[in-house]
Amino acid sequence: MEKMMDLLAQELSAAFEKAGYDSSYGRVTVSNRPDLCEYQCNGAMAGAKAYHKAPIVIAQDVVEKLSDSQVFSMAEAVKPGFINLKIKETFLSGYLQKMHTAQLLGAEKTQNPKTIIIDYGGPNVAKPLHVGHLRSAIIGESIKRMGRFLGHEMIGDVHLGDWGLQMGLIITELKHRQPELVYFDESYEGEYPKEAPFTIGELEEIYPAASAKSKGDESFREEALEATHLLQQGRPGYMALWNHIMRVSVTDLKKNYEKLNVTFDLWKKESDAQPYIPAMVEEMREKGYAYMDQGALVVDVKEETDTKEVPPCMILKSDGASLYTTTDLATIVEREKLFHPDEILYVVDKRQEMHFVQVFRCAKKTGLLPQETKLSFLGFGTMNGKDGKPFKTREGGVMRLEHLIEDINEEMFHKIVENRSVKDKDARQTAQIVGLSAIKYGDLSNQATKDYIFDIDRFTSFEGNTGPYILYTIVRIKSILNRYEQENKDTENGEILEAANESEKVLMLALTGFPAVVEGAFEEKAPHKVCSYIYELANAFNRFYHETKILSEEDERQKASWIQVLLLTRKVLETSIDLLGFSAPERM
């Protein structure tokens, strides 16, 4: 189904051509003066120089050709050369009728589906998720959902950090605490226990304790480095411990991501890339890309057009150890081998931009994947507290993600109980649904690349540009539809009639924007555009609701038409919030 703006542009382009002008001037935009018109065309201004005519003359010529238009009810030329437009009500209602039954509410399935891998996790195992992991998960999940909606094969990868020094620190600390465990007996040849010698709570205490100890005790740090090396060499006891750490950690990570309604198709780890490193490094050497510099193996990635210094990409340290750069490059090799993606998108803190500039250039320069494969970096800003500094606990520490979720849910529970709109037994579950909307919408309504203030009071409000406000609007629509059905009315019957009043037309016009918004938001990797759209749509609906007595309307045909508009509005809002990664309750 063609987008509304395209249909309007076709009508204007045809009018320009009939009037003797180039059809390319028929571009249409939403009016910035809604008090005067709904759409406008500035093509006459652009064409004045080419045709040596006053813009108003060109505009008048074009408007004359629109006199019998089936699309516009008004087309007028306004000095110095604007064309002001209003859409015909019959055309608008017909478009919404088609949109109502269209598979994707008028959005188009892509003609060229791509395989896109999104790297949007990045947590380290043995450590709890904290607020720093929030943005990657929320933004990445939304982009994945939009891509799938439009027909692309989207593959989400959590990309766990599981192979670095933190593993050696945990193993060494555990060895100091429980040296009698069989994992530390080099002569042991039996089967290792199936149960881990620690819980997730103990594991989350062991790592920070070991990390702190390593900073003040050099011998402990050396021991941890050796344990890391032995693990990476495959010592059986350490591998068994590593497997325990992975099972316990991943189970806990999945539980916490589930609370965010975030899922991954792949639970790949840094260690999965290790087998690809030796051959990758050897090939870089053989082809002359990699060379030794102060003992380290590096690849030059600077370009003549660089306006700032781009350091060489370090492949191996002077002691032969690999780095994040090495692992990320080897992961690209693995992804190319397993999936042949058209694009790999990294949703990562924007402060890592230089790292990914080096990785991307190195991957392309050394031929790790085809030149046409796109490598994309979506760097997100910082989530800050009201003081403008990175969000912390009251004690000044990094807040665990599950504690943030609990705080939001508790705030929503109190507000829902105060409203007395939901029975006590349902209030907790409703609070979780609405709380998730507060967190996700609060984040996604901001442009991803910008820092933003995480304000619990504002984000949990039922008024203003918030997730709960959007959900409240959906619940209001559901309530009207339920009451209509209780009158033994069939919501399936009815056609969308011409707008009965101005507020209905504003709502109908807002509905037509959905296809373009979704396609544009995915193309630009910009979920905030979906948020802006549904906030505008919710406002349009609520204005219509307050100005129109829907259920008390005596004209049954008119009432049935309004019900169809409500059904479409609900469908658009619910589809949109699903793309953002949350849902609406039945009541709130």
Side-chain angles (χ1 to χ4, degrees):
M1 174 172 180
E2 288 189 88
K3 293 188 276 294
M4 174 62 82
M5 296 301 286
D6 291 342
L7 293 172
L8 303 188
Q10 286 170 23
E11 186 78 354
L12 257 292
S13 295
F16 267 91
E17 203 164 358
K18 284 179 190 173
Y21 304 107
D22 194 286
S23 63
S24 63
Y25 292 115
R27 185 169 167 268
V28 176
T29 58
V30 174
S31 171
N32 55 14
R33 287 289 307 275
D35 54 320
L36 298 177
C37 58
E38 295 155 356
Y39 300 94
Q40 64 188 63
C41 173
N42 301 337
M45 306 284 284
K49 188 174 181 181
Y51 291 98
H52 306 291
K53 284 185 180 181
I56 189 64
V57 173
I58 297 175
Q60 288 168 342
D61 290 346
V62 173
V63 164
E64 188 181 326
K65 300 301 179 185
L66 290 168
S67 58
D68 58 350
S69 172
Q70 299 302 302
V71 176
F72 297 110
S73 61
M74 182 200 88
E76 63 177 10
V78 180
K79 288 183 178 180
F82 302 117
I83 300 174
N84 289 352
L85 305 158
K86 283 189 178 180
I87 200 166
K88 193 167 270 188
E89 277 78 356
T90 50
F91 181 78
L92 178 57
S93 60
Y95 185 88
L96 291 188
Q97 195 71 49
K98 290 176 189 171
M99 194 175 158
H100 208 336
T101 56
Q103 187 183 5
L104 300 180
L105 296 169
E108 290 282 332
K109 280 271 186 191
T110 178
Q111 300 264 322
N112 303 297
K114 295 177 181 176
T115 298
I116 302 173
I117 296 175
I118 311 185
D119 189 322
Y120 66 106
N124 287 322
V125 298
K127 294 169 72 175
L129 290 175
H130 56 75
V131 293
H133 295 110
L134 185 71
R135 300 211 72 190
S136 179
I138 288 176
I139 297 166
E141 180 71 16
S142 179
I143 292 170
K144 181 187 76 176
R145 287 169 178 244
M146 286 192 285
R148 280 192 183 152
F149 181 76
L150 296 172
H152 297 287
E153 184 184 358
M154 308 297 290
I155 303 171
D157 185 5
V158 71
H159 193 66
L160 296 169
D162 72 323
W163 208 235
L165 178 59
Q166 85 262 28
M167 287 299 172
L169 288 168
I170 293 165
I171 290 169
T172 304
E173 178 66 13
L174 201 59
K175 186 177 182 180
H176 281 224
R177 294 184 184 193
Q178 300 181 66
E180 74 284 357
L181 292 175
V182 294
Y183 308 97
F184 305 116
D185 181 355
E186 292 181 50
S187 63
Y188 184 76
E189 294 182 352
E191 283 192 18
Y192 291 101
K194 291 183 179 177
E195 290 296 316
F198 42 70
T199 64
I200 184 62
E202 290 166 340
L203 191 59
E204 289 174 355
E205 181 273 323
I206 287 169
Y207 174 72
S211 180
K213 192 183 291 186
S214 71
K215 288 166 186 168
D217 185 339
E218 188 58 35
S219 65
F220 182 85
R221 180 175 171 79
E222 288 299 322
E223 194 178 342
L225 285 166
E226 177 60 17
T228 305
H229 177 71
L230 291 171
L231 169 67
Q232 294 178 357
Q233 295 300 308
R235 178 181 278 194
Y238 289 4
M239 287 299 297
L241 272 178
W242 175 80
N243 279 315
H244 285 317
I245 294 167
M246 292 305 300
R247 276 196 295 273
V248 170
S249 289
V250 169
T251 299
D252 187 65
L253 285 169
K254 284 183 176 178
K255 181 185 73 177
N256 281 292
Y257 276 122
E258 195 174 299
K259 289 178 183 175
L260 283 174
N261 200 17
V262 169
T263 59
F264 299 94
D265 307 286
L266 303 175
W267 283 79
K268 286 285 188 179
K269 312 171 290 294
E270 279 185 282
S271 57
D272 291 321
Q274 298 304 308
Y276 297 92
I277 291 176
M280 178 186 80
V281 171
E282 188 57 35
E283 188 175 337
M284 287 181 182
R285 278 186 165 129
E286 284 180 359
K287 291 184 175 179
Y289 295 119
Y291 65 93
M292 301 303 294
D293 182 11
Q294 299 179 48
L297 187 70
V298 301
V299 174
D300 270 332
V301 291
K302 65 177 184 236
E303 296 176 356
E304 289 182 9
T305 53
D306 289 336
T307 54
K308 61 182 178 180
E309 185 183 357
V310 179
C313 185
M314 192 182 296
I315 308 300
L316 296 176
K317 293 197 289 187
S318 56
D319 61 359
S322 57
L323 307 94
Y324 282 126
T325 310
T326 328
T327 305
D328 281 339
L329 287 166
T331 300
I332 287 173
V333 173
E334 182 189 39
R335 288 169 173 166
E336 172 59 24
K337 180 183 177 184
L338 298 180
F339 303 104
H340 306 295
D342 297 291
E343 180 178 357
I344 306 174
L345 169 65
Y346 296 80
V347 184
V348 187
D349 190 312
K350 67 182 179 184
R351 290 170 291 190
Q352 295 190 42
E353 184 173 9
M354 180 55 74
H355 167 78
F356 283 100
V357 166
Q358 292 173 300
V359 167
F360 292 175
R361 288 186 181 182
C362 185
K364 288 296 178 77
K365 181 176 182 177
T366 60
L368 298 187
L369 75 178
Q371 287 298 316
E372 62 270 18
T373 303
K374 189 176 180 182
L375 293 170
S376 306
F377 172 76
L378 176 55
F380 53 79
T382 311
M383 169 184 157
N384 296 325
K386 288 184 182 179
D387 59 359
K389 297 175 181 176
F391 198 88
K392 302 276 188 185
T393 62
R394 286 175 187 157
E395 295 74 38
V398 177
M399 181 175 271
R400 288 175 63 146
L401 195 50
E402 61 183 307
H403 294 162
L404 176 69
I405 294 170
E406 286 166 8
D407 288 351
I408 292 277
N409 289 348
E410 199 61 33
E411 182 70 20
M412 288 312 321
F413 175 72
H414 289 308
K415 289 188 175 182
I416 287 167
V417 169
E418 283 172 17
N419 283 351
R420 296 180 180 176
S421 56
V422 178
K423 293 177 183 175
D424 287 349
K425 67 183 178 70
D426 299 324
R428 285 284 175 197
Q429 186 179 5
T430 302
Q432 289 175 12
I433 296 170
V434 183
L436 185 61
S437 81
I439 293 171
K440 288 200 162 187
Y441 191 92
D443 187 299
L444 292 171
S445 58
N446 299 278
Q447 192 172 331
T449 54
K450 294 185 177 177
D451 300 346
Y452 77 98
I453 303 295
F454 193 91
D455 185 340
I456 290 179
D457 294 332
R458 185 168 71 82
F459 289 177
T460 56
S461 173
F462 287 87
E463 298 176 357
N465 190 11
T466 70
Y469 170 71
I470 302 299
L471 297 196
Y472 192 76
T473 302
I474 294 171
V475 169
R476 172 175 274 167
I477 295 170
K478 286 181 176 181
S479 174
I480 298 168
L481 293 173
N482 287 338
R483 281 155 58 200
Y484 184 77
E485 286 178 336
Q486 285 165 11
E487 294 175 6
N488 299 314
K489 302 285 177 62
D490 185 359
T491 57
E492 296 302 313
N493 291 328
E495 62 174 324
I496 298 177
L497 305 176
E498 296 176 24
N501 53 47
E502 187 201 345
S503 62
E504 185 183 6
K505 190 174 186 187
V506 169
L507 172 59
M508 293 168 85
L509 288 168
L511 285 166
T512 67
F514 174 77
V517 167
V518 174
E519 291 174 28
F522 175 70
E523 191 64 34
E524 296 174 42
K525 311 291 186 287
H528 72 278
K529 296 203 165 182
V530 177
C531 294
S532 297
Y533 169 70
I534 59 175
Y535 179 54
E536 175 195 325
L537 180 60
N539 283 338
F541 168 76
N542 284 312
R543 180 189 161 198
F544 166 67
Y545 167 79
H546 287 299
E547 293 182 6
T548 311
K549 304 297 182 187
I550 299 169
L551 293 178
S552 59
E553 172 61 45
E554 293 181 0
D555 184 332
E556 290 297 331
R557 189 162 172 260
Q558 177 63 75
K559 190 196 294 189
S561 171
W562 284 338
I563 292 300
Q564 294 306 305
V565 173
L566 262 64
L567 282 167
L568 181 56
T569 306
R570 185 192 71 181
K571 208 185 291 187
V572 168
L573 287 171
E574 287 187 329
T575 301
S576 297
I577 64 172
D578 184 64
L579 296 176
L580 296 173
F582 56 93
S583 58
E586 290 305 310
R587 297 170 166 232
M588 60 186 281

